[in-house]
Amino acid sequence: MKISGNELGLNNLGLNNLNNVYRNLSTKDLVNDIINYGEGLQGLRGSVMVDTGIYTGRSPKDKYIVDEKSTREKIWWGPINQRISEEIFDLLYGKITDYYNSTDHTKTYVFDGFAGADSNFSLNVRIIAKKAWQAHFVKNMFINPEDDSLINFTPEFTIINASDVRNDRYEECGMNSETFIIFHMERKIAIIGGTEYGGEMKKGIFSVLHYLLPQKGVLSMHCS
């Protein structure tokens, strides 16, 4: 349904006064938007096909975690869990919020749902995207809410996908490319730019669970 961004608290993320926000649209509505906006094609049996460009898989060398005090001693830093500074995160976060705030003439899609079937350990997730197919993707990947479970829903981790935004200052920032997937665990938010690959959203939430669940006594999990 259409809803004010401020009503969802998106203004607290720096996404100011967005009025063209659609929350938890049906599969039918998302597929219609995918087709109508030229994001993809529909196959003979109804499946939607999308071209993700040069990225047909994840981009692990472009994935970073903000080095801040709440996580500094809890993460095994190295070539997999790459550090990035708060300053660089803020720079790119600003590019993403500017992008959303300047494109309110097009739809912003919000998916609110759950990661993990065990209610004792599940995570309330919010995915924000500018493309219908990305909202469709996460609707398939995560647990959809029942009609009344969105009442007083509070996201415990949010991903803002701005796949059209690129970091043209990546060399100056000491990064691998114009693409970035950055997690700020203390602020419970991640940003994605420069890649169309949908799996960054799915694996991103799985990475968050791998960080949070051991702290709750869950010592191992498998995500295919």
Side-chain angles (χ1 to χ4, degrees), residues 72-133:
R72 189 164 296 137
E73 303 303 323
K74 297 177 182 177
I75 291 176
W76 187 354
W77 301 103
I80 303 300
N81 298 320
Q82 300 181 94
R83 301 175 189 260
I84 202 164
S85 71
E86 193 104 38
E87 290 75 17
I88 294 174
F89 176 84
D90 288 342
L91 170 70
L92 295 173
Y93 190 83
K95 287 177 69 73
I96 280 181
T97 55
D98 287 348
Y99 168 73
Y100 269 82
N101 292 333
S102 65
T103 56
D104 193 37
H105 57 283
T106 60
K107 289 182 179 179
T108 292
Y109 299 92
V110 173
F111 171 80
D112 285 339
F114 310 97
D118 188 331
S119 60
N120 293 314
F121 301 106
S122 66
L123 185 71
N124 292 5
V125 298
R126 170 169 287 173
I127 315 293
I128 304 170
K130 290 300 293 184
K131 298 192 177 180
W133 79 260

Side-chain angles (χ1 to χ4, degrees), residues 44-199:
L44 293 177
R45 297 181 180 271
S47 296
V48 174
M49 300 173 289
V50 176
D51 185 349
T52 61
I54 63 171
Y55 290 100
T56 57
R58 289 185 299 123
S59 185
K61 292 184 179 180
D62 296 307
K63 185 175 179 178
Y64 305 88
I65 302 171
V66 175
D67 181 7
E68 40 82 18
K69 61 183 179 180
S70 76
T71 58
R72 189 164 296 137
E73 303 303 323
K74 297 177 182 177
I75 291 176
W76 187 354
W77 301 103
I80 303 300
N81 298 320
Q82 300 181 94
R83 301 175 189 260
I84 202 164
S85 71
E86 193 104 38
E87 290 75 17
I88 294 174
F89 176 84
D90 288 342
L91 170 70
L92 295 173
Y93 190 83
K95 287 177 69 73
I96 280 181
T97 55
D98 287 348
Y99 168 73
Y100 269 82
N101 292 333
S102 65
T103 56
D104 193 37
H105 57 283
T106 60
K107 289 182 179 179
T108 292
Y109 299 92
V110 173
F111 171 80
D112 285 339
F114 310 97
D118 188 331
S119 60
N120 293 314
F121 301 106
S122 66
L123 185 71
N124 292 5
V125 298
R126 170 169 287 173
I127 315 293
I128 304 170
K130 290 300 293 184
K131 298 192 177 180
W133 79 260
Q134 294 167 348
H136 183 30
F137 179 90
V138 295
K139 182 178 176 66
N140 283 335
M141 288 293 106
F142 298 111
I143 298 172
N144 286 255
E146 302 293 336
D147 290 340
D148 60 350
S149 59
L150 286 182
I151 298 174
N152 299 320
F153 179 90
T154 300
E156 296 173 299
F157 203 89
T158 298
I159 292 179
I160 306 177
N161 193 329
S163 53
D164 286 342
V165 175
R166 288 173 168 75
N167 178 16
D168 54 3
R169 297 172 56 187
Y170 74 92
E171 291 178 317
E172 177 184 338
C173 294
M175 299 170 72
N176 181 61
S177 77
E178 293 180 332
T179 296
F180 55 91
I181 306 99
I182 308 179
F183 295 79
H184 197 308
M185 297 303 190
E186 183 179 41
R187 289 167 59 177
K188 300 178 181 178
I189 194 164
I191 54 176
I192 296 174
T195 173
E196 290 281 348
Y197 183 66

